[in-house]
Amino acid sequence: MVCLGNICRSPLAEGILRSKSPNIIIDSAGTAAYHVGNSPDNRSIEIAEKYNIDLTNQRARQFNSHDFNNFDKIYAMDSDNYSKIISLAKNQKERKKVDLILNETFPKQFRSVPDPYYGGEQGFENIFLLINNACDIIAKKYDKR
Ligand code: 4NP
């Protein structure tokens, strides 16, 4: 699960998917390094708590090229981060692992989870619901394997 800072959207995606699929190995990262080592944003922690999901043990890290080997699937939260990840991929096999998370909910529409960093609480409720709906589909897909 990859966003820009790894403090708002992707920690939520990591926590939400883990709550639905405890047997899948899930991690999150940011394409930028500004917040490396930081806890998730309090607004993400609070919206997750409302739905009984604990993000407080997460710490931000930067996405790196090893992630292409370590994971079968890489979900970007928005199109900027999708492009950044694709630019780091070395071959077609790596590029094929990458998708926008909302393409699970809205196939081939290339929609982005809006960046909530400068928005208010309403933004976090909105991104929680968007990510939650996508994770319902992802959990069903990978549980079948
Ligand atoms: P995220 O949100 O990518 O969902 O973690 C952001 C966090 C920090 C910044 C931007 C977006 N920032 O500019 O510091």
Side-chain angles (χ1 to χ4, degrees), residues 3-11 34-35 81 115-118:
C3 61
L4 178 63
N6 193 208
I7 56 166
C8 296
R9 292 164 291 179
S10 59
Y34 333 119
H35 297 282
N81 289 297
D115 182 343
Y117 190 61
Y118 295 106

Side-chain angles (χ1 to χ4, degrees), residues 13 19 54 58 75 78-80 82-83 105 109 113 124 135 139:
S19 74
D54 181 13
Q58 293 191 37
Y75 285 110
D78 67 30
S79 52
D80 284 351
Y82 174 87
S83 301
T105 327
Q109 292 190 25
V113 179
F124 281 77
C135 287

Side-chain angles (χ1 to χ4, degrees), residues 1-135:
M1 298 300 189
V2 185
C3 61
L4 178 63
N6 193 208
I7 56 166
C8 296
R9 292 164 291 179
S10 59
L12 271 174
E14 176 184 338
I16 292 169
L17 187 58
R18 186 171 293 124
S19 74
K20 298 177 193 295
S21 294
N23 298 319
I24 297 177
I25 295 170
I26 304 156
D27 198 6
S28 64
T31 56
Y34 333 119
H35 297 282
V36 169
N38 292 358
S39 295
D41 188 286
N42 277 333
R43 296 165 295 175
S44 283
I45 289 175
E46 280 165 19
I47 197 78
E49 261 172 16
K50 181 175 160 190
Y51 294 95
N52 290 317
I53 294 169
D54 181 13
L55 307 185
T56 57
N57 291 327
Q58 293 191 37
R59 296 293 178 271
R61 72 174 180 91
Q62 190 170 22
F63 182 84
N64 66 73
S65 58
H66 299 294
D67 288 317
F68 289 110
N69 293 327
N70 293 340
F71 296 94
D72 299 316
K73 191 78 204 171
I74 297 166
Y75 285 110
M77 299 297 125
D78 67 30
S79 52
D80 284 351
N81 289 297
Y82 174 87
S83 301
K84 177 71 189 173
I85 299 162
I86 289 288
S87 76
L88 297 171
K90 288 187 287 297
N91 52 48
Q92 188 60 12
K93 186 179 170 215
E94 292 187 351
R95 280 188 284 276
K96 276 185 69 177
K97 292 185 174 189
V98 188
D99 201 358
L100 279 169
I101 190 170
L102 293 188
N103 276 344
E104 294 291 358
T105 327
F106 311 104
K108 297 184 183 161
Q109 292 190 25
F110 298 91
R111 295 196 199 183
S112 291
V113 179
D115 182 343
Y117 190 61
Y118 295 106
E121 297 305 322
Q122 178 59 36
F124 281 77
E125 184 77 45
N126 178 43
I127 65 165
F128 184 96
L129 296 174
L130 283 171
I131 294 169
N132 188 56
N133 289 342
C135 287

